[in-house]
Amino acid sequence: MSERTGEHRTTLRVGIDVGGTNTDAVVLDDDDRVIATAKRPTSPDVTEGLRAALDAVLAELPDPAMEQRVKRVMLGTTHATNAILERRALGRVAVLRLGAPATTSVPPLSEWPGDLRDTVAAGTAIVRGGYFVDGREIAPLDVDAVRKFVATTPADAIAVAGVFSPASADQENTVAEIIRAEVGDVPVSLSHEIGSLGLLERENATVLNAALYGVARDVTAALREALTARGLEVETFFAQNDGTLMAVDYAARYPVLTIGSGPANSLRGAAYLSGVTDAIVADVGGTSTDLGVLVGGFPRESAAAVEIGGVTTNFRMPDILSIALGGGTIIGEEPRSVGYRIGTEALVFGGSTPTMTDAAVAAGRGTVGTRPVPEEWRERLAQAVRAADEAVADAVDRVALGRADRPLVAVGGGAFLLADEVPGAREVIRPAHAEVANAVGAAIALASGRIETIVPATGGGSSRARLIDNAKEEAAARAVAAGADPATVQIVELSEIPLSYLPEPAVRLHVKAAGPLARQAG
């Protein structure tokens, strides 16, 4: 690609998405044009695959000298999710609940799977404290009990969750100060910064966040190692669940927010590449197909509690439906997949394992591989295509929630598996660079911040208005802390949900702010 007039001042950024089968990378310029792409197998040592993808995408630049214009790298990764699912590399967490005497009947971590609880828990305690939903204290904070617990419970991190702390965070903040005074700089997770109102789900999310500090540190080190090996001095960001970015320091404090970033990246990338902001997106990978819905260019969020590794949490996640259909899916042995070995095991690559890639090639939906599909497999492969089409149509019907007027945007390395017409979708769109939509989604993401609190439903005069303004300012401040340009950050979501059974009418206020990353000099 030839350089345009003035392009010598243009800075570049790299988006990387580490998936279960492939690690994708793209390079975008200041005008969000895709100027290089690469896809490499995800290796057992993720750092190696990350480095290979980075090397490959930089090698695709029109001019090697352009590499020095790379100023930012955005990473989406499944490290945190895998660490929880596999119970590895998790830290030991001291769990402190501010809720006695009201919440002692259900201790912290009661519903956790035994193996995960044994891996994570360094000790738990419930001390006096917490708030009613309207912000009044249930009980004053028991400062002595907090000091005794943190001083006698060695842990890699401490999780603090108070009853209705999103309504008033004073007690949690006080506990953080006590911890710093008693045991120094041990990482502390405060629940009002992480989850929604429900205590147990918010407490669970906070404990997972605390357990992931070491994982976040390792991933950050791996990324920096890969960048240093290339001689790149760049700003680095992590993609989070809602399709926005956070700075590395922010991600280090809230690693649990990276869970679900992969599907969110795919949806955001699909919206950008297709130019469609309201659609169903099907991301077809090597092992599975993730379906989600774009609303205003952002992933539709799940309204239900989200279970991660057997633990119920309440932080916001994209509403994703996954089905066992991917390019490497082994026909007759679903949901098994050959994964990253597809390049050697699939029939079209000279292997002996029939896969969905072979079936799609036999059906004329793509030209992949180095060998023709053996004739004796064709009827069986045709049956697999029909079954796959029915599974996709059923999944589209489930995520569409009755609407059939939206297009379906097909992305991912296995997007060619999908038919040109899918029941329940107005049309099927296949944008350019669809195979690396997830990495594009990471590269174009905004930085965001959110806050959830409780305010009076009516009346209150200037007091209610002041509380809402304060929430907006706090959400904007969190977006700036995540890397957004203070001059462009905007409130992109403000919702009020009425609360029942209160002496005075009140609403749950949710505010989200987002904005482009602060620009850099070239």
Side-chain angles (χ1 to χ4, degrees), residues 330-333 345-348 350-356 358-363 372-386:
I330 302 174
I331 292 172
E333 298 183 23
E345 296 199 15
L347 300 178
V348 293
S352 59
T353 306
T355 67
M356 276 308 304
D358 302 310
V361 171
V373 177
E375 196 62 33
E376 63 269 26
W377 281 100
R378 288 191 174 273
E379 178 54 34
R380 187 175 173 187
L381 296 178
Q383 293 177 5
V385 168
R386 289 193 289 271

Side-chain angles (χ1 to χ4, degrees), residues 30-105:
D30 279 342
D31 295 327
D32 291 341
R33 295 180 306 170
V34 179
I35 60 175
T37 67
K39 184 185 286 286
R40 290 293 182 273
T42 296
S43 58
D45 173 8
V46 178
T47 303
E48 184 180 331
L50 193 157
R51 183 180 297 179
L54 179 64
D55 289 346
V57 77
L58 294 178
E60 293 296 319
L61 289 173
D63 179 354
M66 295 174 70
E67 179 175 327
Q68 296 308 312
R69 298 186 204 164
V70 175
K71 299 300 179 185
R72 283 175 169 152
V73 172
M74 292 79 163
L75 177 68
T77 173
T78 57
H79 267 77
T81 308
N82 293 340
I84 294 171
L85 296 178
E86 298 170 11
R87 278 70 162 141
R88 64 171 169 79
L90 299 173
R92 302 279 291 177
V93 181
V95 186
L96 182 59
R97 180 189 296 172
L98 318 179
T103 66
T104 55
S105 60

Side-chain angles (χ1 to χ4, degrees), residues 132-136 454 456-458 499-506:
F132 291 104
V133 69
D134 59 2
R136 290 177 294 122
I454 297 170
T458 58
L499 297 172
S500 305
Y501 310 113
L502 297 178
E504 299 294 335

Side-chain angles (χ1 to χ4, degrees), residues 9-13 28-33 519-520 522:
R9 293 189 296 272
T10 299
T11 60
L12 305 176
R13 60 190 189 278
L28 271 63
D29 64 12
D30 279 342
D31 295 327
D32 291 341
R33 295 180 306 170
R519 295 184 71 86
Q520 291 182 310

